[in-house]
Amino acid sequence: MKFTALILLLLICYTASAQITDSTTLIPEEEENYDNLSFADGNAKRFCTSKIFDLSPQKLISIGYDFQGGYAINSDTIGTYAPTTVRTNYSQGLRLMANIPVISRNNIIVQLGANYLEQRYQIDNTATDNLLSTNLSRNGLRSTGLNTTIFKPLNERNFIIAQASADLNGDYGLNTIPSLRLLRYSGAAIFGWKTGDRRMFGVGLSRTYRVGEMNYIPIILWNWTSLNRKWGTEVLFPARAHVRRTINSRNMFFVGYELEGNSYKINSRNTLPSDFDNLEIRRSELRFRTMYEFSLYQFIWLSVQTGFRYNYGFNVDDVSGGNEFFRGFFGNQPYAMINTIGNTFYALVSINVVSP
């Protein structure tokens, strides 16, 4: 956590420095001189921007707390372990994220980001001989990653968005970080159209772990604002989709969902035999939610979301040697362990530094 706090402090300092560096010096009125005024070349190429009217502000730095209510975990047979059902009283975790623009010009925008997500499980009467619940109760699940997003306008109408990320996921702690060969890579590319200040859309393809295991999925971008600027949509399907109600520029309400997931290495230290040292939990969940986001003070915003967490997948795969394989939607490779977890309500509160 000290290391994470240090990273956040550096990011905050970088943001403050960038704002100072990018600010312009005002020229006193008496020094203004229009004698040498010249007009820009009328043939200069123009580019579309990455925003439309009333789009929710981008979160540069976010600190959040996630809480899920109680639910059951049903673990199937694996090896000599018998099926087991345990009760999770609740699960909770810290969420830290940062996305900082490093290049911001009219012909390209490049952002670099980092994130840390955790989920800790408070489980009743954990069976010491249960593979899944023992590790979840003792260690929880964590994800640490780096990412980048590039927005490249081609002209006044068309643009390309490219995203890439690398995540290290597992039930590790600071003293048990898994090998970097277990990094999981994701990416996406979108070709889009911007038809005005109220609509932009696009289509593309993603390599993602949001469904728990690696898959290739087509994606659709649809950001739209109504004529009266009270309603809108913010959609990156199938990852997330929301209907937006704009109360004013500092208060926004959303209804929609987000698909979350990744693949997590299970460490067998002190809990499992060594022949179970190549297992990964394929975790994926749908979060149906309402969100209220508003400005506390200038660029400091609070986000409050509540909703229903639906388990999409929580099975276990054997990835001996750290090798990933592609099952997709139609593969028939058997899971090493089939599990189900109950559905429950959840709440997430975060405080954010947003872009101007």
Side-chain angles (χ1 to χ4, degrees), residues 83-338:
T84 308
T85 298
V86 297
R87 177 70 182 175
T88 301
N89 293 324
Y90 61 86
S91 56
Q92 61 181 340
L94 184 67
R95 296 189 167 206
L96 307 174
M97 288 174 280
N99 286 286
I100 306 300
V102 293
I103 300 176
S104 184
R105 299 198 296 262
N106 66 338
N107 64 344
I108 191 169
I109 298 174
V110 179
Q111 293 181 331
L112 295 180
N115 61 267
Y116 171 81
L117 311 175
E118 66 177 19
Q119 198 73 21
R120 297 174 178 268
Y121 299 81
Q122 208 291 320
I123 299 178
D124 255 351
N125 303 320
T126 301
T128 57
D129 62 347
N130 180 265
L131 183 153
L132 188 63
S133 62
T134 298
N135 276 52
L136 291 179
S137 180
R138 293 185 182 182
N139 312 318
L141 296 176
R142 294 174 178 82
S143 178
T144 305
L146 298 173
N147 59 80
T148 184
T149 302
I150 300 173
F151 177 83
K152 173 59 181 174
L154 304 177
N155 47 50
E156 292 184 271
R157 180 181 175 86
N158 299 110
F159 60 87
I160 293 173
I161 299 175
Q163 295 178 319
S165 64
D167 297 289
L168 193 60
N169 315 304
D171 59 348
Y172 56 83
L174 290 178
N175 59 337
T176 55
I177 297 177
S179 169
L180 292 181
R181 66 183 175 83
L182 295 173
L183 278 169
R184 296 304 180 217
Y185 301 97
S186 302
I190 297 173
F191 181 84
W193 295 260
K194 185 173 182 181
T195 58
D197 290 326
R198 295 189 303 105
R199 183 175 62 180
M200 60 190 303
F201 59 94
V203 294
L205 183 69
S206 68
R207 182 186 194 272
T208 180
Y209 283 85
R210 285 181 182 260
V211 290
E213 56 198 83
M214 188 261 287
N215 209 338
Y216 295 90
I217 298 176
I219 49 179
I220 298 174
L221 170 73
W222 183 267
N223 291 338
W224 166 81
T225 298
S226 65
L227 277 172
N228 62 11
R229 299 181 60 173
K230 294 296 184 182
W231 298 92
T233 59
E234 299 185 16
V235 176
L236 186 60
F237 181 83
R240 56 184 174 270
H242 294 93
V243 175
R244 180 187 69 247
R245 174 67 167 92
T246 303
I247 302 171
N248 55 49
S249 61
R250 301 169 67 86
N251 291 267
M252 297 181 176
F253 184 78
F254 303 83
V255 176
Y257 80 89
E258 182 160 10
L259 176 64
E260 291 192 2
N262 226 313
S263 188
Y264 298 81
K265 173 72 168 62
I266 302 177
N267 196 320
S268 66
R269 63 191 182 280
N270 302 324
T271 60
L272 305 170
S274 59
D275 55 343
F276 291 121
D277 198 29
N278 298 302
L279 302 178
E280 290 192 13
I281 298 175
R282 309 297 202 179
R283 172 177 175 259
S284 184
E285 59 190 39
L286 274 167
R287 294 189 171 205
F288 301 97
R289 63 195 184 186
T290 61
M291 294 191 301
Y292 177 48
E293 298 186 347
F294 62 96
S295 172
L296 289 173
Y297 177 74
Q298 294 185 353
F299 303 129
I300 309 297
W301 281 52
L302 186 69
S303 175
V304 180
Q305 58 176 271
T306 60
F308 184 74
R309 193 268 294 143
Y310 172 79
N311 174 51
Y312 182 80
F314 210 78
N315 297 321
V316 173
D317 263 331
D318 186 342
V319 288
S320 299
N323 296 319
E324 182 63 285
F325 62 88
F326 175 67
R327 180 184 285 111
F329 293 110
F330 309 106
N332 58 4
Q333 298 96 326
Y335 289 101
M337 185 181 189
I338 296 177

